[in-house]
Amino acid sequence: MSIVVLNQVIIPIYSFFLLISIFGIGFFFNNIISIYKVELELKNLIFIQGLFFSSIIFVFINFFTPITDILSLLIILVGSILYSFYFFKITQKKKEIKFISLIIVFSVFFSYYSGVNDDFDYHYKIIKNYKNNSLFDILHHRRASYNSYWLFITSIFSINFFTSTLFVLTSIFFSITIYDLFKLTRKSVKKNEYYVSTISFFILIFFLGNFSKLKDFGTDIPGVILGAYMYIIIFNHLFEKNNKKTNNIFLLILFLFQFSFIIKITNGLLIILLFLIIYNLNLKKI
């Protein structure tokens, strides 16, 4: 079997294990820290936690050693084991299997037809820097140095030998986002929550219209997605009838803002969203 064919065959298998592993890490840290205490059923908020905490661990690892394929496979194995514990505890297993299957189908489709963007050449060099060098051994060039934190995360969850795995993480992240927005729009309409349904619908149309070609995803869009979730959570909080969970909302928004900021420094403008809810914080309960 040629390496080209093998790269195509490996995508569905790798997508499955990568998806459940990041969810496993996300569920593990959410149970410890309990960042996600929002009524909205947004799958990506768990997935984002998995990305964030696994990447923080690998920042410290990369101080001393490159992010080798062995380390990448190890974190996927550990995350998959953590997810298996979560899966056996949930009661709605069929619903979870349906969700996983749907995301795999969409992410595999996006991976197959993603193509490469105009900046792929130096993005790939940056990913290889993390895979082959520790942080202090990376040589600085005009374009290929440290760059976006998203490329660092991609280096964690990709395998050198299988170049097709470079596109899997982005495909999964985008697929879960579309799933969340579609489900939230339907659910909000049924509950007559028209503010949330309207904003989620227009964000869904925006993403499908602008980023349906995954090659245009780049390193800016992950921060845009995080900003979209911040808007949705804040709108839901400000226009719902019960606004007693301001502190939980604020901490979640602060977490999303910090993650978006380290992905791209220009996302620092999203700090303005924090001031939409900070006025009614109960500082005694923080």
Side-chain angles (χ1 to χ4, degrees):
M1 185 180 293
S2 68
I3 186 63
V4 175
V5 175
L6 191 58
N7 263 283
Q8 301 300 317
V9 171
I10 201 68
I11 288 180
I13 302 171
Y14 190 79
S15 298
F16 170 75
F17 284 105
L18 185 61
L19 175 62
I20 65 171
S21 66
I22 297 175
F23 267 120
I25 297 168
F27 282 121
F28 175 78
F29 281 101
N30 189 65
N31 288 335
I32 296 174
I33 305 175
S34 298
I35 295 176
Y36 181 24
K37 294 181 179 179
V38 185
E39 292 84 356
L40 296 173
E41 296 181 7
L42 300 172
K43 293 283 189 178
N44 235 349
L45 293 183
I46 298 296
F47 190 81
I48 289 168
Q49 288 184 65
L51 289 177
F52 177 80
F53 289 111
S54 57
S55 67
I56 293 299
I57 293 171
F58 269 84
V59 166
F60 290 103
I61 292 175
N62 201 208
F63 279 139
F64 308 102
T65 182
I67 304 173
T68 62
D69 290 345
I70 294 176
L71 290 174
S72 297
L73 291 171
L74 182 61
I75 190 66
I76 292 173
L77 175 62
V78 171
S80 299
I81 294 172
L82 291 173
Y83 179 82
S84 65
F85 287 119
Y86 158 78
F87 181 78
F88 287 117
K89 289 182 179 179
I90 62 176
T91 55
Q92 296 181 322
K93 290 183 173 60
K94 289 184 178 180
K95 184 178 179 181
E96 183 71 7
I97 292 173
K98 183 179 179 181
F99 162 72
I100 295 294
S101 301
L102 193 61
I103 296 303
I104 295 299
V105 170
F106 278 112
S107 64
V108 168
F109 174 81
F110 284 128
S111 295
Y112 276 135
Y113 299 101
S114 60
V116 293
N117 59 45
D118 297 333
D119 298 325
F120 181 78
D121 178 52
Y122 82 89
H123 284 177
Y124 185 47
K125 291 178 181 178
I126 295 169
I127 293 171
K128 288 196 296 183
N129 276 342
Y130 295 125
K131 300 292 287 186
N132 299 319
N133 303 282
S134 64
L135 282 175
F136 298 112
D137 292 331
I138 294 176
L139 298 176
H140 297 274
H141 300 285
R142 187 175 69 87
R143 300 185 78 190
S145 182
Y146 294 113
N147 205 281
S148 170
Y149 192 67
W150 184 255
L151 298 178
F152 177 78
I153 297 174
T154 302
S155 70
I156 299 172
F157 296 108
S158 61
I159 307 299
N160 275 327
F161 186 71
F162 299 111
T163 54
S164 59
T165 59
L166 290 168
F167 308 99
V168 172
L169 177 62
T170 300
S171 302
I172 291 175
F173 190 40
F174 184 70
S175 298
I176 300 174
T177 302
I178 299 303
Y179 174 88
D180 275 347
L181 291 172
F182 179 75
K183 294 282 288 186
L184 181 61
T185 301
R186 284 186 57 190
K187 186 176 180 180
S188 299
V189 169
K190 290 179 179 179
K191 295 172 65 177
N192 296 325
E193 296 175 349
Y194 295 114
Y195 289 108
V196 177
S197 62
T198 301
I199 191 172
S200 60
F201 173 74
F202 280 110
I203 292 174
L204 174 62
I205 297 301
F206 173 75
F207 282 158
L208 288 176
N210 287 276
F211 310 125
S212 57
K213 293 182 179 180
L214 205 63
K215 74 181 186 67
D216 298 327
F217 199 85
T219 58
D220 299 319
I221 310 308
V224 175
I225 289 177
L226 292 172
Y229 277 89
M230 292 171 66
Y231 274 107
I232 290 171
I233 294 168
I234 290 173
F235 264 76
N236 180 70
H237 173 70
L238 292 178
F239 294 104
E240 66 180 3
K241 297 179 180 179
N242 185 1
N243 290 334
K244 294 181 180 179
K245 297 185 178 180
T246 303
N247 289 15
N248 293 337
I249 300 296
F250 177 78
L251 293 176
L252 177 58
I253 295 298
L254 181 62
F255 164 74
L256 293 174
F257 166 73
Q258 289 175 329
F259 195 19
S260 65
F261 181 72
I262 61 177
I263 286 178
K264 203 78 169 182
I265 195 171
T266 51
N267 292 324
L269 292 173
L270 290 173
I271 196 172
I272 297 173
L273 297 178
L274 292 172
F275 294 99
L276 294 177
I277 57 174
I278 200 170
Y279 69 92
N280 62 347
L281 274 176
N282 188 343
L283 298 178
K284 294 181 180 180
K285 294 184 178 181
I286 295 181

